[in-house]
C-alpha cells in the first residue's frame, strides 16, 4: 500500500510505494542528470574521473553521485575512482557501509572482546572449587 511522503528534493507530496525515494517530477530530473553523467563517463578521457571532477563538469551533486554508486547504477568496476563515503570515517568505499580499514578495526575489537570473555570464563571456572565434607562415623 502506498504511503504519503514529502519529496526530499522539492518538498511536494507523493505516494511512496518503495520504488522511488522522490516524486515523479524529481525522478524524471534525476534520470536526465544520470544520462548526463553517464554520457560524460562514457568518454575515454573521463572514465578515471573522481566524484569531485564529475560533479564539477556535470553540475550533479556529490550526494546524488554517491547514491547512484551505492545503488549500483554507476559501477566502480567500470569507473575505478567512484565510491561513496564510509559510514564511520568518511573514506571512499565501493562495497558495504564501511571501508576495509573500519571493517578490520571492528573485527579486531570483536576478537579482543571475545578473548576477554574467554579469559573471564576460564577464571570463573578456575575459582570454582569443589569441597567434600567427611561424615563422622
Amino acid at each position: 500500500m502506498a504511503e504519503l511522503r514529502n519529496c526530499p528534493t522539492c518538498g511536494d507530496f507523493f505516494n511512496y510505494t518503495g520504488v522511488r525515494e522522490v516524486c515523479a517530477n524529481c525522478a524524471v530530473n534525476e534520470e536526465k542528470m544520470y544520462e548526463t553523467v553517464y554520457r560524460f563517463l562514457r568518454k575515454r578521457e573521463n572514465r578515471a574521473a573522481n566524484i569531485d571532477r564529475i560533479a564539477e563538469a556535470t553540475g550533479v551533486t556529490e550526494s546524488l553521485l554517491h547514491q547512484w554508486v551505492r545503488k549500483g547504477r554507476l559501477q566502480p568496476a567500470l569507473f575505478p575512482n567512484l565510491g561513496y563515503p564510509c559510514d564511520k570515517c568518511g573514506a571512499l568505499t565501493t562495497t558495504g557501509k564501511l571501508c576495509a580499514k573500519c571493517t578490520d578495526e571492528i573485527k579486531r575489537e570483536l576478537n579482543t572482546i571475545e578473548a576477554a570473555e574467554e579469559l573471564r570464563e576460564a577464571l570463573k571456572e578456575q575459582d570454582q572449587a569443589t569441597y567434600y565434607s567427611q561424615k563422622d562415623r
Side-chain angles (χ1 to χ4, degrees):
M1 189 167 142
E3 174 184 335
L4 188 63
R5 286 190 179 179
N6 283 6
C7 175
T9 306
C10 68
D12 285 346
F13 291 111
F14 74 103
N15 284 328
Y16 174 74
T17 57
V19 178
R20 289 190 307 247
E21 297 291 324
V22 294
C23 68
N25 292 335
C26 293
V28 169
N29 290 338
E30 277 187 15
E31 200 58 37
K32 288 178 185 175
M33 288 187 278
Y34 176 77
E35 289 299 322
T36 304
V37 169
Y38 196 72
R39 267 188 263 114
F40 174 78
L41 288 173
R42 281 183 42 198
K43 294 179 184 174
R44 183 176 297 276
E45 65 269 8
N46 296 332
R47 288 189 184 158
N50 61 11
I51 295 285
D52 295 331
R53 170 80 174 105
I54 296 169
E56 179 185 313
T58 61
V60 177
T61 62
E62 289 184 19
S63 61
L64 194 54
L65 291 168
H66 292 308
Q67 179 182 347
W68 289 336
V69 174
R70 190 180 291 261
K71 287 184 176 180
R73 290 194 75 186
L74 294 175
Q75 297 179 356
L78 301 173
F79 311 112
N81 292 329
L82 293 182
Y84 50 89
C86 168
D87 285 354
K88 186 175 179 192
C89 70
L92 283 185
T93 184
T94 57
T95 57
K97 291 185 173 243
L98 301 175
C99 65
K101 180 181 168 190
C102 291
T103 303
D104 291 341
E105 182 180 326
I106 289 173
K107 284 180 182 178
R108 278 194 312 275
E109 290 174 2
L110 286 173
N111 288 339
T112 304
I113 291 171
E114 286 178 7
E117 274 296 314
E118 288 175 7
L119 181 63
R120 277 192 217 107
E121 290 295 322
L123 289 175
K124 187 176 179 181
E125 286 178 15
Q126 198 176 38
D127 286 344
Q128 290 179 345
T130 305
Y131 296 98
Y132 298 102
S133 64
Q134 289 184 346
K135 204 177 206 187
D136 289 336
R137 292 184 198 208

